Amino acid sequence: MRRIHILRFDIWLCLLFSVLLGAGAGKIANNILEKKYETYTEEHKVDANEIGGKATEDIFRAQSVEDLLSHDTFTIVSPGIEYRNKGAGYYKGMYLYAVTLPSGEKVAARVNSDSVVSTSDSIYSGDSILPVGRIIKADLSSEETFLSQIEYKEELSRKDFYIDMVGEAEVISDEYYVDGVAMLIELLIVVITFPIFHTIGSRMGIFPYIFPPKKKEETK
């Protein structure tokens, strides 16, 4: 028969106090971080016509790879949400889409979805004007896993660069910025306070010691 190990009452009690304290600290941290996150996202907003920002009529509409390489900044007009349906993958921690140019050529692009402008009320019709972008030289072929992801439908036309359509608009998701940090704080509070609570209780004689202190040898 398996032996069922039940934690002692004193351990459960100290753990309960630590969890409650950690939950309180996590809630306070969550409120603080939510306000900080608002400021953080505001600081990373970019204006129209900047890299990662919305593209106005003044921004060149690239038709081919040659157009991309001959302009410092540009945008691409993609039918509907086609730019999200042709393959995608992670390259050095960045999520890149396989974007089809009007010429039919396919290139990898990092897209700030907040700055995509639709020419129709429905994202499934009309065109999507992608954010302002620029060329970033990179050896995409060095990442085999990435290529297997982004080229699962069709191969990229060029693998020596990708398009950056994010720039300074990159932000960490609130899931990591707020929830992740708050959870870490809760965990740290539990780990730190549990032994403190139990040690105090043991020294007061309320709890038995988990590790009994060594008795001092009597001097002769």
Side-chain angles (χ1 to χ4, degrees):
M1 291 180 64
R2 288 185 177 179
R3 299 177 66 181
I4 300 175
H5 297 277
I6 301 176
L7 292 176
R8 291 183 342 214
F9 172 74
D10 55 302
I11 294 178
W12 276 115
L13 187 60
C14 290
L15 191 58
L16 175 62
F17 288 153
S18 296
V19 169
L20 290 174
L21 188 61
K27 189 171 183 179
I28 293 171
N30 194 78
N31 292 334
I32 295 171
L33 288 167
E34 281 182 351
K35 292 178 182 178
K36 280 184 168 288
Y37 188 71
E38 290 177 8
T39 304
Y40 168 71
T41 53
E42 284 295 324
E43 290 174 347
H44 283 76
K45 282 186 178 179
V46 293
D47 295 331
N49 293 349
E50 291 184 357
I51 302 300
K54 294 179 180 180
T56 67
E57 293 296 328
D58 298 330
I59 299 298
F60 178 74
R61 269 60 173 161
Q63 303 292 312
S64 64
V65 168
E66 183 179 353
D67 286 346
L68 300 178
L69 296 174
S70 60
H71 289 76
D72 294 330
T73 60
F74 48 78
T75 186
I76 298 169
V77 179
S78 176
I81 56 170
E82 182 185 80
Y83 71 95
R84 296 193 315 203
N85 294 332
K86 294 296 183 179
Y90 282 98
Y91 174 77
K92 298 187 184 302
M94 299 177 293
Y95 197 65
L96 306 183
Y97 292 103
V99 175
T100 304
L101 297 167
S103 64
E105 297 167 294
K106 288 180 174 55
V107 293
R110 189 175 176 223
V111 181
N112 176 20
S113 58
D114 291 336
S115 294
V116 176
V117 177
S118 179
T119 60
S120 171
D121 293 336
S122 173
I123 60 173
Y124 300 104
S125 61
D127 293 325
S128 291
I129 303 172
L130 302 189
V132 179
R134 63 181 173 184
I135 291 292
I136 302 293
K137 294 292 184 181
D139 182 12
L140 303 183
S141 60
S142 64
E143 301 284 339
E144 293 183 6
T145 302
F146 162 70
L147 284 181
S148 67
Q149 294 170 341
I150 198 169
E151 293 186 329
Y152 84 97
K153 282 189 176 181
E154 298 177 66
E155 287 190 15
L156 296 174
S157 302
R158 294 287 293 265
K159 301 174 186 177
D160 58 337
F161 69 80
Y162 68 85
I163 302 172
D164 177 20
M165 292 181 164
V166 175
E168 296 299 319
E170 180 183 17
V171 295
I172 303 169
S173 71
D174 59 347
E175 181 181 348
Y176 292 101
Y177 192 98
V178 179
D179 299 340
V181 175
M183 188 177 296
L184 179 60
I185 289 173
E186 286 184 35
L187 181 61
L188 287 174
I189 292 293
V190 172
V191 171
I192 292 170
T193 59
F194 171 76
I196 293 174
F197 285 146
H198 200 278
T199 299
I200 292 172
S202 299
R203 289 182 177 177
M204 293 176 63
I206 301 172
F207 306 141
Y209 283 100
I210 296 177
F211 301 105
K214 293 181 180 180
K215 292 182 180 180
K216 293 183 180 179
E217 294 183 4
E218 295 183 2
T219 55
K220 293 182 179 181

